[in-house]
Amino acid sequence: VGSPVANRTSARVQHLIGLFANTLVLRTNVSDELTFLELLRQVKEVCLGAYAHEELPFEMLVEELQPERRFSHSPLHQVLFQFQDVPPEFKAPEFKLSVIPIVLGEANVDLMLSLTESDGLLFGEFSYSQNLFAETILRMERQWQVLLESIVENPACPIKSLAIETEEEAAQLIESFNQELEV
């Protein structure tokens, strides 16, 4: 999973206007036996390790690792996760800046999830490659909501036990598979 960072760790660039963003590549081993809380701890460690080296340009990492390159994919990740915790309005003595919502359009990766925090609430938006169908993303969005509800109910249960679909969806899926097998 790729995750963009502001890349403003140096005091020299913290107050400059401009794009200094970098993409971190986060790799996590997800095992069925892990609980969500264990996975969360593992992801935290991976993220902290990546943040410790966020000044290393993504392009240098690609050059060093030399993965197989394709024009249709980012070389080290096909999924992007970004979290925006920037306040909606920023005031400077000479300027008044505010965030203008934009339509992200097609992602330059297979799937991108953007989360924004506002007034204590999280808002999410999926962007995706046109090679994936909208129905797939709508189903994934529903499954993500069910998964989050399942995690909140029991964060200490094994990942394999967490629900990703409602009971009605599971019954419908089983029924459609059975119908396909009968044909």
Side-chain angles (χ1 to χ4, degrees):
V1 174
S3 186
V5 290
N7 204 18
R8 291 180 176 267
T9 56
S10 170
R12 299 178 316 185
V13 297
Q14 286 181 352
H15 301 292
L16 294 177
I17 295 175
L19 184 64
F20 297 93
N22 191 22
T23 301
L24 302 179
V25 179
L26 310 170
R27 176 173 266 171
T28 305
N29 182 14
V30 181
S31 162
D32 286 351
E33 303 305 318
L34 286 175
T35 68
F36 174 76
L37 293 175
E38 291 167 337
L39 176 62
L40 192 60
R41 280 194 276 293
Q42 182 181 352
V43 169
K44 178 182 177 181
E45 288 177 27
V46 167
C47 289
L48 290 174
Y51 293 143
H53 301 285
E54 72 179 78
E55 71 284 347
L56 177 70
F58 178 78
E59 294 78 18
M60 283 184 69
L61 183 61
V62 171
E63 187 177 309
E64 181 67 27
L65 295 175
Q66 297 185 355
E68 182 180 333
R69 301 293 299 260
R70 294 187 197 142
F71 290 116
S72 61
H73 287 93
S74 175
L76 298 175
H77 62 86
Q78 285 75 48
V79 176
L80 193 69
F81 173 79
Q82 69 178 7
F83 176 70
Q84 302 285 333
D85 61 349
V86 178
E89 191 172 298
F90 173 78
K91 293 180 183 175
E94 302 86 28
F95 301 100
K96 181 179 178 187
L97 305 174
S98 58
V99 175
I100 299 173
I102 60 168
V103 176
L104 294 174
E106 184 176 343
N108 59 355
V109 291
D110 287 346
L111 179 65
M112 179 171 66
L113 173 58
S114 301
L115 293 180
T116 306
E117 181 183 3
S118 179
D119 297 326
L121 299 172
L122 284 178
F123 297 91
E125 180 176 12
F126 284 107
S127 298
Y128 53 93
S129 168
Q130 290 181 353
N131 295 332
L132 300 175
F133 300 105
E135 299 82 33
T136 303
I137 298 302
L138 291 174
R139 186 176 65 245
M140 186 182 299
E141 187 177 53
R142 284 191 310 272
Q143 289 173 337
W144 193 55
Q145 182 176 352
V146 171
L147 176 63
L148 291 176
E149 290 169 358
S150 181
I151 290 168
V152 169
E153 284 179 24
N154 190 359
C157 78
I159 291 174
K160 66 181 174 187
S161 301
L162 294 171
I164 62 167
E165 53 201 10
T166 64
E167 290 179 18
E168 294 83 22
E169 289 172 323
Q172 183 182 16
L173 187 60
I174 290 169
E175 183 179 317
S176 70
F177 276 147
N178 285 336
Q179 286 175 353
E180 287 179 18
L181 289 174
E182 290 173 2
V183 173

